[in-house]
Amino acid sequence: MVELKFLSLFTTFFLFLSPSSVLSRTLLQQRDISSFSLKLYPRNALYKSQFKSLKEISLDRLERDVARVNFLKKKIYRAIHGNGTSDLKTMDLEIPITSGKSQGSGEYFARFGYGTPPKQLYTAIDTGSDITWIQCTPCDPLNPCYPQTDPLFDPSMSSSYKPLACDSQQCSQLDRSRCYTSTNTCAYRVDYGDNSFTEGDFVTETVTFGDSTTRNIAIGCGRKNQGLFMGSAGLLGLGGNSLSFPSQINSPSFSYCLVDKDATSASTLEFGSLAIPSDAITVPLLVNSKMNTFYYVGLTGISVGGQMLPISPSAFALDQSGDGGVIVDSGTAVTRFQPEVYNMLRDEFIKGIQGLPPPRGFLLFDTCYELTSRPPGIPRVAFLFDTKTLELPDNNYFTEVAQNVFCLSFATISQRTSIIGNTQQQGMRVSFDVGRALIGFSVGKC
């Protein structure tokens, strides 16, 4: 049996270290990667759903979304209360496979090349995670790898694959790690919620994106990966920790545009100085001292049909303990607010719809209407950030979730932190400029 040595832990999750961090200087090659762009695909373009009806597809997405929100809630709770990290115990290595609905990854994919020569792999993007990982062969026999679109990555076929030592700086930055003392090599583990996880060797590899190639990027080579990630070869961590992909490639900014989840076309994931449109609605990127992974924004209000909701400023405030606030997340589908905020939004929306029968509940939502088509002139929903206003397209908040069933696409969350999900981000370019501490929203810039 391999002897394990347990290492110290460091919490991971959202906001971005400065590109001048010590780890970034250590990892990066001295090269100019000022900007580049990659195609970004919705899940539907790569993995054809087994479900035939829109209702079944919506239910499957919402069940995955509940798992995702539970994952974020646990990470926030652990960061605030200081009990979120514990050494990886040997018993954790024998967890059985459970339903894929427990996975917590995002709904959008980008294609990267891993290794030398590069193997092109579809990788899910996630602004709520820092660790980039891919499935590797051979997989653990007791925890077979889940099906993916591309062939599994074979480390033996890459000349640039290099395991990280247990005392390496990258290994020490992991939230959960262990050491194989017989080889002095580092192993990682990331838990996403409801028994979904990835576990394997922590290594450096060459990553190719567009016309650029960067060596010595720290990634996970997953040997045990639980949860039906539905076609992707792994996950690209876009969070704020020093191990996140943008931090490692020393990119000062990145942006994405999310097409409709049912589309077969692609949009783009962009890095560098060209990633932020000049006409973007820019809002401050806030710092949570307890949580350096999440991207927090200063949401100050919501209007429905031009009517400002009487929301207390404390509803969106980020307090000194690290609790509360509003995060922008690519992996959560439905925007979540505290119940009192959601109730105000829902009631004002219902009041603004004329000539429709009383709403009824459907799936996760309690404000739904059976209609032959989307009605014109529904109340417009807008997010306010101090003096800036982001008016949402009606497809981003009044969504068809089954044939002829349209729902107000917001939900509640049982804690103080609100989440702006990817349904509300569809059709707009969302830009993250860490150097200037700004997030930008550009409607119709896909």
Side-chain angles (χ1 to χ4, degrees):
M1 178 177 293
V2 176
E3 181 184 359
L4 301 180
K5 175 184 176 184
F6 298 114
L7 305 179
S8 61
L9 305 170
F10 189 81
T11 54
T12 58
F13 240 43
F14 246 90
L15 195 92
F16 259 20
L17 292 182
S18 165
S20 63
S21 67
V22 173
L23 181 58
S24 294
R25 292 199 306 270
T26 301
L27 295 177
L28 294 172
Q29 306 300 314
Q30 298 301 314
R31 56 178 293 128
D32 179 15
I33 51 170
S34 58
S35 63
F36 62 93
S37 177
L38 298 166
K39 288 185 177 180
L40 188 62
Y41 301 86
R43 184 188 297 276
N44 185 63
L46 307 180
Y47 182 88
K48 300 305 179 185
S49 173
Q50 61 182 328
F51 304 111
K52 302 302 181 183
S53 72
L54 181 56
K55 177 181 178 181
E56 290 177 320
I57 294 172
S58 296
L59 181 59
D60 180 61
R61 286 174 176 164
L62 293 173
E63 288 182 356
R64 294 200 308 268
D65 207 45
V66 169
R68 169 72 177 193
V69 171
N70 287 337
F71 160 54
L72 298 185
K73 286 165 59 178
K74 290 177 182 177
K75 297 292 277 189
I76 293 169
Y77 180 87
R78 290 169 178 171
I80 294 171
H81 296 280
N83 62 349
T85 59
S86 59
D87 288 328
L88 183 62
K89 301 295 191 290
T90 304
M91 68 181 66
D92 290 335
L93 306 181
E94 303 289 338
I95 298 179
I97 293 292
T98 59
S99 169
K101 291 186 175 64
S102 66
Q103 64 85 28
S105 71
E107 296 283 344
Y108 294 87
F109 301 75
R111 196 158 178 79
F112 288 79
Y114 294 87
T116 305
K119 302 299 182 184
Q120 298 294 319
L121 301 173
Y122 284 111
T123 313
I125 69 165
D126 187 5
T127 57
S129 299
D130 293 308
I131 305 301
T132 294
W133 60 271
I134 54 175
Q135 292 199 114
C136 288
T137 186
C139 300
D140 183 271
L142 297 179
N143 291 270
C145 291
Y146 61 83
Q148 65 180 53
T149 301
D150 301 298
L152 293 173
F153 182 77
D154 185 350
S156 68
M157 302 299 291
S158 173
S159 62
S160 51
Y161 179 91
K162 184 179 180 180
L164 281 162
C166 297
D167 60 354
S168 66
Q169 191 172 19
Q170 298 96 319
C171 191
S172 69
Q173 296 293 323
L174 287 170
D175 180 21
R176 304 187 71 183
S177 62
R178 73 180 189 274
C179 181
Y180 294 107
T181 55
S182 59
T183 57
N184 190 36
T185 56
C186 181
Y188 78 100
R189 179 178 171 116
V190 180
D191 291 278
Y192 293 101
D194 293 353
N195 295 324
S196 179
F197 70 89
T198 177
E199 180 181 320
D201 304 313
F202 204 48
V203 306
T204 60
E205 254 297 8
T206 294
V207 179
T208 302
F209 34 92
D211 296 328
S212 298
T213 297
T214 301
R215 298 183 295 277
N216 298 328
I217 297 294
I219 68 171
C221 187
R223 310 288 186 173
K224 304 177 184 180
N225 314 292
Q226 176 175 292
L228 190 58
F229 290 89
M230 295 188 180
S232 73
L235 186 144
L236 185 78
L238 295 177
N241 185 271
S242 57
L243 289 176
S244 74
F245 183 73
S247 292
Q248 291 199 62
I249 65 170
N250 206 17
S251 176
S253 62
F254 73 93
S255 73
Y256 55 72
C257 199
L258 307 180
V259 297
D260 185 274
K261 293 184 181 69
D262 297 316
T264 56
S265 59
S267 53
T268 58
L269 170 65
E270 300 183 358
F271 294 86
S273 58
L274 300 180
I276 301 182
S278 59
D279 60 350
I281 296 172
T282 56
V283 301
L285 179 61
L286 306 182
V287 175
N288 184 347
S289 61
K290 300 288 187 178
M291 180 71 69
N292 72 339
T293 301
F294 294 137
Y295 296 100
Y296 286 83
V297 292
L299 183 66
T300 55
I302 301 173
S303 68
V304 179
Q307 180 68 36
M308 284 295 301
L309 303 180
I311 301 171
S312 168
S314 63
F316 300 133
L318 178 63
D319 64 27
Q320 293 184 346
S321 73
D323 196 13
V326 180
I327 64 175
V328 178
D329 183 41
S330 67
T332 300
V334 180
T335 291
R336 311 293 177 117
F337 293 124
Q338 296 175 57
E340 58 269 27
V341 173
Y342 169 75
N343 291 340
M344 282 187 240
L345 191 162
R346 176 201 59 201
D347 294 347
E348 193 66 30
F349 183 83
I350 293 173
K351 190 165 59 175
I353 289 188
Q354 304 296 322
L356 295 183
R360 60 185 178 88
F362 190 86
L363 303 178
L364 176 70
F365 309 112
D366 63 7
T367 304
C368 300
Y369 301 87
E370 189 168 356
L371 306 167
T372 56
S373 63
R374 188 187 310 275
I378 65 172
R380 303 308 299 265
V381 176
F383 293 157
L384 281 77
F385 305 90
D386 289 329
T387 61
K388 307 289 183 65
T389 299
L390 175 63
E391 190 170 89
L392 300 178
D394 56 8
N395 286 340
N396 290 27
Y397 62 89
F398 195 59
T399 309
E400 188 174 16
V401 298
Q403 185 174 6
N404 299 332
V405 178
F406 294 81
C407 297
L408 179 63
S409 302
F410 295 93
T412 60
I413 190 168
S414 59
Q415 65 178 35
R416 290 192 57 238
T417 303
S418 300
I419 305 170
I420 297 178
N422 60 40
T423 296
Q424 282 64 37
Q425 299 175 51
Q426 285 182 141
M428 68 177 72
R429 182 158 295 281
V430 184
S431 307
F432 302 81
D433 188 331
V434 179
R436 294 189 296 163
L438 295 173
I439 291 184
F441 300 95
S442 307
V443 177
K445 290 292 183 179
C446 283

